[in-house]
Amino acid sequence: MPRQSRPSPLPLYKKFADELAASINAGVLQPGERVTSVRSASQQHSLSVTTVVRAYELLESRGIIESHPQSGYFVRKAQAPLATPSSNSNLLSPSHPASQQPHEVDVSRLVLATLKAIQQDGTVPLGSPYPNPALFPSQRIGQYAAKITRNSHGFSVFNDLPPGHPELLRQIARRYLETGLKVDPDDIIITVGATEAINLCLQAVAQPGDTIAVETPTFYAILHAIERMGMRAVEIPTDPLTGIDLDALEALLQTQKIAACMVMPNFQNPLGSMMPDAHKQRLVALAHHHNMPLIEDAVYSELFYGNAHPSSLKTYDRDGLVLHCSSFSKSLTSAYRVGWAIPGRYRAQVEKLKFLNTLATPTIPQRAIAEYLTQGGYERHLRRVRRSLQQQRDLMRHFVLRFFPEGTQVSEPNGGYILWVELPPAVEAMELYRRCLVLGITIAPGRIFAASNRYSHFIRLNYSYAWTIETEKALKTIAKIVNDLR
């Protein structure tokens, strides 16, 4: 008779975490109440301090408890809805394209030239598309990567062929479950950042010459994908608070064949808008009615400022028409370029295209991030980042509204790390960009965020970097140049 293997014993920290979670679920500890201190728990349960800390970090990653600096751990309170941006005359108005005719897309050269200039050493990076690397636990992830590299004898590109490293797939699915969305690990495909995910998804659902509906303004990576594949873009008006204009999209679908719609429902780049849940549901229903794929860019969804994680379009998807794309580049590390797609009914096509395009995503970054997520602490890291970004958003909005000329309008995003600024109409943003660059200051000119030649008096500003005297001086300098250009 074959000998049966015994199941591995549950690690002590996981066992203790499960016991404490059961007590909380039973109401022994109420939301907002303080959890036993690490030292006291160590003594009471005859556990090492390290074991207790790991257990608390695990519970924190599950959203059951939360740490308060210098106060200890507390049972997490019930989730409150996201705050609604304040209403005032300085907030942006919805965009209104002059025409909803499809456009050939040709923005890549301008974007490339702009990004090269923005990334010059020594500049104040207000125009950078990337978050401040100092926000990320880079050293810890680097240590995991180094350890994996040392023990990587025999690793090859074939170790983590599409869909990707199994443990990373599991950790991503687990994270979605913690935020209220059930995802099977087999539904996920690991990619080289969200950019590759977006490109693969678009390639799976549309052909050269097809028309793609996009928000306006929109993130230039979406425009690049359309341009790269020889497609056309039709721009839909977008509200800086509630997102894409669903009435305009519905009217368009009555008159034109739209192969797909590409949207950022949460903290849209560059507007910062977040679609209300009812709008997300209506958009998914509209897509279902017209059998139109929705490509959802969700890279900023973890960077919300309220207590409740925002829903995604995928939450309301019942027939696989939503192709959900995201990455760790905005929330954990931008160095490794690890993203993923959840392509719904198009999963087989996207997996095949991934293999044909890049064969596989590098294995060591996948495994290093999987190890970080396994060890816990991701939720605590995110809360720290969110608090920092919200404070810096308020600082930058204050400075822009104080020093820029009358008539300037500014977005008030509820997540992410970018401001969209409308300057007086007489100000040419490309000239402002050039003058700032000479002085070592970078901004992102509005022209790179649309297929048509629009937003010539708009700029995008990055507020993720540490607030310094240099930041304040740079904003005052930009304001002075804007006044000169008026």
Side-chain angles (χ1 to χ4, degrees):
M1 182 175 178
R3 188 176 180 180
Q4 293 184 346
S5 60
R6 295 181 179 179
S8 301
L10 196 66
L12 282 176
Y13 79 95
K14 289 187 177 179
K15 183 179 179 182
F16 178 55
D18 289 345
E19 291 172 354
L20 183 55
S23 296
I24 293 171
N25 290 334
V28 177
L29 287 172
Q30 296 294 318
E33 287 187 345
R34 191 174 188 273
V35 179
T36 306
S37 71
V38 171
R39 187 168 299 278
S40 296
S42 171
Q43 295 171 349
Q44 292 170 9
H45 299 275
S46 300
L47 298 170
S48 70
V49 169
T50 301
T51 298
V52 175
V53 168
R54 291 189 68 185
Y56 284 4
E57 287 182 345
L58 181 61
L59 290 172
E60 188 176 27
S61 71
R62 295 176 182 174
I64 297 173
I65 66 175
E66 59 186 10
S67 64
H68 294 183
Q70 300 180 348
S71 298
Y73 289 88
F74 293 78
V75 179
R76 198 169 184 185
K77 294 180 180 179
Q79 301 291 288
L82 286 166
T84 302
S86 59
S87 176
N88 61 57
S89 60
N90 297 122
L91 285 178
L92 294 163
S93 301
S95 60
H96 293 287
S99 168
Q100 288 189 7
Q101 294 302 311
H103 294 276
E104 300 291 336
V105 181
D106 184 16
V107 298
S108 59
R109 284 174 291 183
L110 176 59
V111 172
L112 180 59
T114 304
L115 290 181
K116 283 182 176 180
I118 284 172
Q119 293 306 113
Q120 291 178 8
D121 291 338
T123 58
V124 181
L126 301 180
S128 174
Y130 308 109
N132 180 7
L135 294 171
F136 298 144
S138 302
Q139 183 177 3
R140 185 174 170 188
I141 295 175
Q143 289 171 346
Y144 292 141
K147 181 180 179 182
I148 293 166
T149 301
R150 288 194 300 270
N151 300 324
S152 63
H153 310 296
F155 273 12
S156 75
V157 71
F158 299 107
N159 282 98
D160 292 319
L161 287 171
H165 181 52
E167 181 59 23
L168 180 59
L169 295 171
R170 191 180 76 83
Q171 290 295 332
I172 292 172
R174 180 176 176 177
R175 178 62 187 167
Y176 278 108
L177 186 62
E178 290 169 357
T179 60
L181 177 61
K182 186 177 181 180
V183 175
D184 192 308
D186 291 338
D187 296 337
I188 305 168
I189 297 169
I190 303 299
T191 60
V192 182
T195 299
E196 186 186 36
I198 290 168
N199 276 269
L200 294 174
C201 288
L202 182 60
Q203 193 175 352
V205 302
Q207 302 294 324
D210 282 349
T211 298
I212 310 300
V214 300
E215 300 159 297
T216 187
T218 192
F219 183 42
Y220 46 74
I222 288 174
L223 299 175
H224 288 174
I226 295 170
E227 178 181 351
R228 173 177 172 267
M229 296 173 202
M231 301 171 187
R232 300 184 300 170
V234 59
E235 299 179 300
I236 309 299
T238 306
D239 190 281
L241 293 180
T242 59
I244 191 168
D245 186 330
L246 296 178
D247 290 335
L249 177 61
E250 187 169 18
L252 179 71
L253 289 169
Q254 304 297 332
T255 60
Q256 294 191 43
K257 172 62 178 175
I258 303 299
C261 179
M262 304 177 75
V263 293
M264 297 182 72
N266 295 321
F267 321 123
Q268 193 255 19
N269 184 353
L271 282 175
S273 59
M274 185 182 73
M275 296 180 67
D277 287 352
H279 288 211
K280 293 172 183 174
Q281 289 177 284
R282 182 185 167 194
L283 176 57
V284 174
L286 193 61
H288 172 79
H289 180 73
H290 292 274
N291 197 34
M292 176 185 67
L294 288 172
I295 299 176
E296 176 182 26
D297 184 349
V299 293
Y300 296 101
S301 292
E302 292 282 21
L303 302 181
F304 58 92
Y305 299 158
N307 292 325
H309 197 290
S311 67
S312 66
L313 298 181
K314 197 69 179 174
T315 307
Y316 309 104
D317 184 24
R318 299 293 177 265
D319 51 10
L321 274 171
V322 175
L323 298 89
H324 179 93
C325 304
S326 193
S327 82
F328 293 109
S329 298
K330 305 298 189 291
S331 61
L332 186 59
T333 174
S334 56
Y336 290 149
R337 305 280 301 150
V338 174
W340 62 91
I342 307 175
R345 67 168 69 170
Y346 304 97
R347 187 200 175 286
Q349 296 99 304
V350 171
E351 183 177 60
K352 177 183 176 182
L353 289 167
K354 167 63 184 176
F355 179 73
L356 292 174
N357 276 269
T358 54
L359 187 61
T361 302
T363 186
I364 290 175
Q366 290 191 64
R367 292 170 183 242
I369 290 176
E371 181 67 17
Y372 175 87
L373 296 174
T374 302
Q375 295 300 324
Y378 186 40
E379 182 61 36
R380 180 173 57 187
H381 154 73
L382 287 173
R383 286 205 306 274
R384 177 180 59 82
V385 170
R386 292 167 191 150
R387 285 195 298 267
S388 174
L389 292 178
Q390 185 174 14
Q391 291 169 359
Q392 291 173 198
R393 177 205 65 179
D394 295 341
L395 279 169
M396 187 167 283
R397 287 193 84 252
H398 169 77
F399 264 75
V400 169
L401 294 174
R402 178 180 176 187
F403 292 104
F404 280 50
E406 186 178 352
T408 298
Q409 293 184 311
V410 189
S411 63
E412 191 175 358
N414 239 336
Y417 53 85
I418 50 180
L419 283 185
W420 185 239
V421 182
E422 182 177 4
L423 304 170
V427 178
E428 172 53 57
M430 285 302 298
E431 179 61 23
L432 174 63
Y433 156 77
R434 285 187 284 265
R435 293 194 189 188
C436 287
L437 193 60
V438 171
L439 300 173
I441 303 167
T442 66
I443 60 173
R447 283 184 58 187
I448 66 177
F449 298 97
S452 55
N453 185 18
R454 296 177 51 80
Y455 309 111
S456 60
H457 62 289
F458 289 75
I459 61 173
R460 190 193 68 182
L461 299 176
N462 181 327
Y463 55 81
S464 69
Y465 287 78
W467 193 263
T468 63
I469 294 297
E470 286 70 26
T471 306
E472 296 182 11
K473 288 180 179 177
L475 288 170
K476 291 177 182 178
T477 299
I478 297 171
K480 183 179 183 305
I481 298 173
V482 169
N483 272 303
D484 292 343
L485 289 175
R486 285 210 309 169

